[in-house]
């Protein structure tokens, strides 16, 4: 006897931005496998293959229940030959031989460890591997020149590779909020990135800051950074103009008022005091055994055998700050909420289906040769001819 509901094929629209993808994933074994292959492709600078695996994983994340047989996948979009082979292997044998051998490979392991250092990308890691550097010990011993970001990344390696909890994100949010209103009264701050999508942990915390009066946000970022720095909250920061429009991801549109758009990649020092300041009872129970702060010179890396392993009264957390003029706020909010694949699919939809160019600054209609204004995310979805998808359902 065949259970018809089990073999009934799934149906899913082809762009991730046409779908509702919550954090409830019924196919984690399959999506973890495809995500690992995506990650491996990205680490090997094979971006095309990476996107293909990401899209395949995203289709499976959108399914209402676990995949039980290959026949259910008939007609689903974005499942190429390679992804189907991986899925089949897992359904039939419980695991994919390709995924397992990738996980075990020295090259993958080395790429993971090295790109786990903040400031180290696939290209740098590849160069180091070719020079015989496969782990942190070898990196320390052979001592290639590190830039400022990489030095900070190495120094705080353990902390930065620990997931950030929502309560840590909230504690940092309170500090940033305080900084924002002291340097520019009336400005306000929004949590963006994965935490806005409802994730319980993240690799960093992302904030978007604006002021309701256009132009008042000019110069805000340097002031904000100085305030945070003077209070000892920043272990590292690099403030830049947003050059995202010039990147290969988005078509460059006239940049008239866009040069004010700024962002800051930072490493935040979150102390137990800040954690306690928040209204999260779980952080109150922490036993604050204080160890002397040796001036930020200690490596949290356990390479230094002279340092007693264990507790310091703070942790390092990656924090991204973005400042946007109010006229671009909705685009910045949409563009920085993610997920990365959801964003990529929105831009692909805009370009391929609507002949529009979407960025985190603006939406340009190529047919009408004009910018389409929006003051909310809902309006942007409407311009794009898409049903509104709330942040918690953008977890593609
Ligand atoms: P975790 O931090 O791992 O929890 O996930 P996340 O979704 O928050 O990822 P991340 O912090 O890396 O990025 C948040 C959002 O910002 C994603 O949607 C990215 O697409 C977007 N983003 C990241 N870098 C840039 C950038 O340089 N420019 C723009 N416009 N967006 C970016
Ligand atoms: Mn994030
Ligand atoms: Mn981020």
């Amino acid at each position: 006897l065949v259970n018809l509901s089990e073999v009934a094929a799934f149906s899913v629209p082809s762009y991730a931005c046409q779908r509702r993808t919550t954090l409830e994933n019924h196919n984690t074994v399959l999506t973890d496998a495809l995500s690992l292959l995506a990650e491996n492709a990205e680490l090997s600078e094979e971006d095309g293959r990476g996107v293909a695996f990401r899209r395949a994983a995203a289709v499976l994340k959108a399914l209402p229940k676990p995949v039980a047989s290959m026949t259910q996948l008939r007609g689903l979009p974005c499942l190429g030959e390679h992804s189907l082979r991986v899925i089949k292997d897992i359904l039939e044998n419980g695991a994919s031989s390709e995924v397992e051998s990738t996980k075990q490979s020295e090259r993958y392991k080395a790429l993971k460890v090295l790109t786990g250092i903040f400031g180290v990308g696939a290209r740098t890691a590849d160069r180091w591997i070719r020079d015989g550097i496969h782990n942190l010990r070898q990196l320390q011993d052979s001592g290639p020149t590190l830039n400022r970001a990489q030095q900070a990344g190495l120094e705080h390696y353990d902390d930065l590779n620990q997931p950030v909890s929502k309560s840590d994100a909230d504690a940092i949010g309170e500090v940033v909020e305080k900084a924002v209103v002291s340097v520019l009264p009336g400005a306000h701050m929004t949590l963006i990135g994965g935490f806005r999508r409802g994730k319980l942990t993240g690799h960093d915390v992302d904030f978007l800051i604006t002021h309701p009066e256009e132009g008042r946000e000019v110069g805000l970022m340097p002031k904000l950074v100085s305030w945070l720095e003077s209070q000892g909250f920043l272990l590292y920061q690099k403030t830049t103009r947003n050059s995202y429009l010039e990147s290969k991801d988005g078509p460059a549109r006239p940049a008239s008022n866009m040069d004010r758009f700024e962002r800051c990649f930072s490493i935040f020092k979150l102390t137990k005091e800040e954690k306690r300041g928040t209204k999260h009872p779980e952080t109150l129970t922490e036993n604050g055994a204080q160890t002397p702060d040796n001036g930020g010179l200690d490596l949290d890396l356990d390479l230094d055998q002279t340092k007693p392993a264990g507790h310091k009264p703070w942790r390092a957390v990656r924090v991204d700050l973005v400042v946007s003029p109010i006229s671009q706020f909705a685009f910045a909010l949409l563009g920085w909420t993610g997920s990365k694949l959801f964003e990529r699919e929105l831009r692909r939809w805009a370009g391929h289906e609507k002949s529009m160019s979407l960025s985190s600054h603006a939406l340009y209609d190529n047919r009408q040769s004009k910018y389409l204004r929006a003051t909310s995310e809902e309006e942007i979805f409407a311009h794009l001819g898409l049903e509104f998808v709330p942040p918690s359902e953008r977890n593609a």
Side-chain angles (χ1 to χ4, degrees), residues 192-195 197 199 202-206 318 320 336 340:
I192 48 174
F195 287 112
R197 302 197 307 275
K199 280 179 62 182
H203 97 283
D204 69 357
V205 195
D206 309 280
R318 275 272 299 112
D320 287 338
W336 286 87
K340 283 197 184 83

Side-chain angles (χ1 to χ4, degrees), residues 82-210:
H82 197 157
S83 294
L84 285 171
R85 195 163 68 234
V86 172
I87 296 167
K88 186 160 183 269
D89 216 3
I90 295 171
L91 291 182
E92 287 175 359
N93 310 313
S96 149
S97 50
E98 184 182 2
V99 171
E100 295 313 308
S101 67
T102 301
K103 255 194 247 180
Q104 301 306 320
S105 80
E106 291 308 315
R107 185 177 160 77
Y108 173 77
K109 286 193 272 187
L111 283 167
K112 277 288 275 186
V113 170
L114 297 176
T115 59
I117 304 168
F118 170 66
V120 177
R123 204 166 321 150
T124 302
D126 179 64
R127 196 178 63 236
W128 287 349
I129 290 170
R130 280 188 278 113
D131 290 343
I133 299 168
H134 291 79
N135 56 45
L136 300 183
R137 164 73 64 194
Q138 290 168 345
L139 182 64
Q140 296 249 314
D141 290 348
S142 71
T145 314
L146 302 180
N147 64 31
R148 213 167 52 84
Q150 294 161 349
Q151 284 170 28
L154 191 57
E155 190 174 334
H156 304 293
Y157 187 87
D158 287 347
D159 276 4
L160 298 184
N161 282 286
Q162 291 267 329
V164 182
S165 68
K166 180 64 165 67
S167 65
D168 285 352
D170 290 337
I172 292 169
E174 284 185 25
V175 173
V176 174
E177 175 92 59
K178 194 167 148 204
V180 166
V181 300
S182 18
V183 298
L184 182 64
H188 64 84
M189 183 201 86
T190 312
L191 186 64
I192 48 174
F195 287 112
R196 182 164 183 251
R197 302 197 307 275
K199 280 179 62 182
L200 296 175
T201 61
H203 97 283
D204 69 357
V205 195
D206 309 280
F207 297 103
L208 175 61
I209 300 146
T210 191

